[in-house]
């Protein structure tokens, strides 16, 4: 690796600025739509970094992104969901790749795609059972899968939407639980010996621009009608699910 802009390996100034702006846009999109921003950021980062750097770097940036959004929407967080979700997320991080690596990529993508569509358009299923039970389960599942996929907001979104009555509560709670997912993943990567110290200037810049994107996005969210938010939320999640199913078909050799 060659030392680049601000000491970041293999990085020039233009790409550095472009990634910082992408982080702003991704945070803004997530703040307004409830999803998609993390996947957008992951796709852009994949054009620049190898997988060994990509997912840990995405994890750190998304943790900072969600922390800043929670700070803005802290009064709207559904606090009863946090502890069971955290317990599930911690167990999911520990379980990590023990079983997941035995599943073919296409199979996992197919399960995820169908899962997201069903729980998005049949919200009563996503609200079945106790709040603690379902948030503990989705915390485990999201973190377990997130160790390898990283962008799992679409998996969590339907459960949060079903538990919350207000769009700001949806976004505050979504950001809080996704922050827990990324925190547990970051700890897991640290225990595996992953270090991102050379990328610190880039991560600081991307977290800072994400905070600005959240500030702008939260103002748009405050003025968005509740019905419009719910419809946009469902459409975005469905689009992400269809993309996952398309990737599953490709990996299975069907297209």
């Amino acid at each position: 690796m060659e030392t680049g802009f601000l000491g970041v390996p293999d990085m020039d100034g233009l790409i550095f600025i472009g990634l910082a702006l992408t982080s702003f846009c991704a945070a803004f999109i997530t703040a307004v739509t409830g999803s998609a921003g993390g996947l957008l950021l992951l796709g852009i980062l994949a054009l620049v970094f190898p997988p060994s750097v990509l997912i840990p770097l995405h994890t750190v940036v998304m943790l900072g992104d969600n922390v800043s959004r929670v700070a803005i929407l802290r009064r709207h967080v559904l606090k009863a969901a946090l502890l069971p979700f955290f317990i599930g997320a911690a167990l999911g991080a520990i379980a990590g790749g023990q079983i997941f690596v035995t599943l073919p990529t296409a199979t996992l993508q197919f399960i995820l795609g169908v899962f997201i569509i069903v729980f998005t358009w049949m919200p009563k299923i996503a609200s079945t059972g106790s709040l603690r039970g379902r948030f503990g389960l989705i915390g485990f599942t999201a973190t377990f899968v997130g160790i390898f996929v990283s962008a799992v907001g679409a998996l969590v979104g339907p459960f949060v939407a079903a538990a919350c009555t207000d769009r700001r509560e949806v976004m505050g709670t979504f950001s809080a639980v996704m922050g827990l997912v990324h925190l547990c993943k970051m700890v897991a990567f640290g225990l595996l010996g992953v270090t991102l110290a050379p990328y610190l200037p880039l991560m600081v810049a991307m977290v800072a621009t994400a905070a600005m994107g959240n500030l702008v996005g939260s103002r748009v969210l405050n003025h968005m009608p509740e019905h419009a938010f719910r419809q946009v939320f469902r459409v975005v999640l469905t689009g992400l699910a269809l993309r996952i199913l398309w990737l599953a078909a490709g990996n299975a050799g069907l297209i």
Side-chain angles (χ1 to χ4, degrees):
M1 292 188 297
E2 295 183 1
T3 301
F5 185 73
L6 295 181
V8 180
D10 301 321
M11 178 67 56
D12 63 37
L14 187 60
I15 294 178
F16 186 101
I17 294 171
L19 291 177
L21 291 175
T22 299
S23 183
F24 173 91
C25 294
F28 174 82
I29 290 171
T30 300
V32 175
T33 69
S35 194
L39 189 59
L40 168 66
L41 184 62
L42 184 67
I44 298 298
L45 289 174
L47 299 175
V48 181
F49 299 106
S52 59
V53 174
L54 167 63
I55 294 181
L57 180 63
H58 181 264
T59 295
V60 173
V61 174
M62 291 306 297
L63 174 60
D65 172 25
N66 283 289
V67 166
S68 65
R69 197 177 303 113
V70 170
I72 296 169
L73 298 169
R74 59 189 177 278
R75 289 177 295 178
H76 302 284
V77 175
L78 183 62
K79 295 178 177 61
L82 299 186
L83 180 58
F85 190 96
F86 175 71
I87 294 172
L91 294 174
I94 293 171
Q98 301 301 314
I99 301 173
F100 180 82
V101 293
T102 64
L103 289 175
T105 300
T107 301
L108 181 66
Q109 290 172 326
F110 178 77
I111 293 172
L112 285 176
V114 172
F115 184 95
I116 293 166
I117 289 176
V118 169
F119 284 91
T120 296
W121 291 98
M122 300 180 71
K124 289 185 178 180
I125 297 179
S127 60
T128 300
S130 69
L131 179 72
R132 292 182 178 182
R134 62 180 184 267
F135 270 86
L137 178 61
I138 196 60
F140 175 89
T141 305
T143 309
F144 182 72
V145 174
I147 290 288
F148 306 91
V149 179
S150 194
V152 291
L155 188 64
V156 176
F159 288 86
V160 175
C164 300
T165 58
D166 178 82
R167 63 193 181 283
R168 285 157 296 200
E169 189 179 35
V170 171
M171 283 312 309
T173 305
F174 176 79
S175 300
V177 296
M178 287 306 299
L180 292 175
V181 167
H182 293 299
L183 176 62
C184 291
K185 285 164 53 188
M186 191 170 70
V187 172
F189 288 134
L191 294 175
L192 291 172
V194 176
T195 178
L196 293 173
Y199 300 92
L200 183 59
L202 176 63
M203 291 188 295
V204 170
M206 293 181 71
V207 169
T209 54
M212 290 186 283
N214 283 324
L215 281 171
V216 177
S218 64
R219 293 185 179 183
V220 175
L221 181 68
N222 284 333
H223 294 90
M224 179 180 288
E226 186 70 30
H227 177 72
F229 172 81
R230 295 281 175 170
Q231 288 300 108
V232 170
F233 189 79
R234 285 185 173 186
V235 170
V236 170
L237 288 181
T238 302
L240 294 176
L242 292 175
R243 178 183 178 276
I244 292 172
L245 291 174
W246 178 267
L247 293 174
N251 287 323
L254 299 178
I255 55 175

